[in-house]
Amino acid sequence: MPVVAVINYKGGVGKTTMTANLAAELAWRGKKVLLIDMDAQASLTFSFVRPDYWSKGLEKDKTIKAWFDSFEDGPPVDLESLVFQPSTATRVLQRASRGGELHLVPSHLGLINVDLQLATGLSGANLRQAKANFLRVHRRLRQELSDLSTNFHVVLIDCPPNFNIVTKNAIVASDLLLVPAKPDYLSTLGIDYLKRSLDELVSDYNEYAQLDQRDSETTISPTIMGVVFTMIQLYRGVPISSQRPYISQVEQLNVPVFKMYIRENKTVFADAPEYGVPVVLNNYQSATHRKVVSEIEELANEFERRLE
């Protein structure tokens, strides 16, 4: 069960749109996909469920925040008990009759405060105890995913646009990182820093894990699966001249770059979350929509090849 964290330090790069459509396309192909929304903005959650449904049925105790809070308030909540299938997208997938499923652990707008709670558990009476607490706090999601009884083909974690403890939990739990990026100065600026932060986290975690002789399987090795360029503006079938230099700069950072990209189309992408069905599952007939869907399909093809 590969676990993929979707992350970029910069918000507004189309991270959630890409995650929702990639997951939906994989489910359409017959895959059993788990989405975990760990971004406090909860945009991925609201791409599949309406806010009124969230506030009535999920907000109180059915979100990833409730799972984090349970470590402080009492017996930890079983993460699997928070997993559900968004009804609208599920009905569309069932019409495909391929056995694919899309499952979601929703986020919460108060998740931003969880990081402060997690930070209080990092201190220790001595250096050894502090390192043990570091492992305990950062490996929570990793341990929980390893205990899932349901067999998913892939897990996608939508991370917040920062490198806080919640994000680190996602990375420690992951095998791969997928980095969506808009080809502009601010969106690509942090990719090299993300790579260095990843290397530092892995180094620290594995150093501390070697002190934990109770478990010989605690080391981690998440790697960057690739950068996916989003919001591409095309001219004669290729990215416009102002975007091409940023694509080239990222290619020179010694990180993998997906050949496929997602074009910018606010008309097609903007309305889909309101109805709970990603663009790739909508049956529009316009030529523009067909091109967008075709590109998402090609992105999913490349994604699956890189998983192998």
Side-chain angles (χ1 to χ4, degrees):
M1 182 183 69
V3 180
V4 181
V6 186
I7 181 173
N8 190 318
Y9 281 140
K10 177 72 169 60
V13 298
K15 173 174 60 70
T16 297
T17 295
M18 186 202 71
T19 304
N21 280 278
L22 177 59
E25 174 60 24
L26 294 173
W28 179 262
R29 297 179 180 193
K31 299 293 191 296
K32 196 172 183 180
V33 182
L34 173 62
L35 288 168
I36 303 178
D37 189 358
M38 296 182 72
D39 190 340
Q41 296 179 76
S43 297
L44 184 64
T45 299
F46 295 134
S47 295
F48 291 98
V49 301
R50 296 185 64 85
D52 56 345
Y53 177 85
W54 177 86
S55 61
K56 293 177 182 178
L58 303 174
E59 178 182 10
K60 183 179 179 181
D61 55 8
K62 296 293 183 182
T63 71
I64 192 67
K65 178 180 182 295
W67 178 74
F68 275 116
D69 287 345
S70 69
F71 286 88
E72 309 297 328
D73 301 336
V77 170
D78 184 358
L79 184 68
E80 194 166 1
S81 69
L82 306 178
V83 177
F84 80 105
Q85 293 179 262
S87 59
T88 306
T90 295
R91 285 195 294 270
V92 176
L93 291 170
Q94 287 173 341
R95 292 201 294 268
S97 302
R98 297 172 183 171
E101 297 177 2
L102 197 153
H103 298 250
L104 172 67
V105 175
S107 187
H108 191 288
L109 305 179
L111 187 62
I112 193 170
N113 298 318
V114 166
D115 204 66
L116 297 175
Q117 299 173 9
L118 293 174
T120 62
L122 293 177
S123 60
N126 53 55
L127 182 58
R128 188 178 186 86
Q129 183 60 51
K131 290 181 176 181
N133 288 341
F134 178 95
L135 291 174
R136 179 178 56 81
V137 169
H138 286 86
R139 67 164 55 138
R140 285 179 181 174
L141 184 61
R142 179 181 177 86
Q143 291 177 322
E144 194 76 11
L145 289 179
S146 68
D147 293 337
L148 278 182
S149 61
T150 307
N151 185 26
F152 294 99
H153 291 99
V154 63
V155 179
L156 296 175
I157 306 176
D158 191 13
C159 299
N162 50 52
F163 211 73
N164 61 15
I165 302 175
V166 170
T167 303
K168 291 177 182 178
N169 255 269
I171 292 174
V172 168
S174 298
D175 305 294
L176 297 161
L177 273 65
L178 186 61
V179 185
K182 184 179 178 182
D184 63 18
Y185 176 71
L186 292 178
S187 300
T188 58
L189 184 64
I191 293 177
D192 186 50
Y193 181 63
L194 172 62
K195 182 176 182 297
R196 287 186 277 119
S197 298
L198 171 64
D199 292 342
E200 182 179 350
L201 172 62
V202 171
S203 176
D204 288 345
Y205 187 96
N206 289 342
E207 177 192 341
Y208 301 164
Q210 291 175 4
L211 300 175
D212 187 0
Q213 299 178 356
R214 296 168 299 175
D215 186 354
S216 61
E217 302 296 329
T218 55
T219 58
I220 60 173
S221 56
T223 58
I224 294 179
M225 181 186 206
V227 175
V228 177
F229 282 105
T230 61
M231 300 185 180
I232 292 289
Q233 299 178 45
L234 299 176
Y235 178 72
R236 294 183 176 178
V238 298
I240 60 175
S241 59
S242 62
Q243 293 184 330
R244 290 198 294 269
Y246 297 107
I247 297 175
S248 297
Q249 287 176 19
V250 172
E251 291 173 338
Q252 296 171 14
L253 292 176
N254 196 30
V255 296
V257 177
F258 275 65
K259 294 180 180 179
M260 202 59 231
Y261 47 74
I262 296 180
R263 72 173 63 200
E264 183 173 47
N265 192 304
K266 295 178 181 178
T267 302
V268 170
F269 285 117
D271 294 336
E274 183 178 354
Y275 302 101
V277 181
V279 167
V280 74
L281 297 182
N282 277 301
N283 191 27
Y284 299 134
Q285 298 301 316
S286 71
T288 299
H289 176 263
R290 287 196 296 271
K291 289 180 180 178
V292 169
V293 170
S294 176
E295 290 166 358
I296 295 172
E297 291 171 345
E298 286 299 318
L299 176 64
N301 289 340
E302 191 171 354
F303 179 86
E304 290 190 299
R305 288 195 298 269
R306 289 174 182 245
L307 280 182
E308 295 175 354

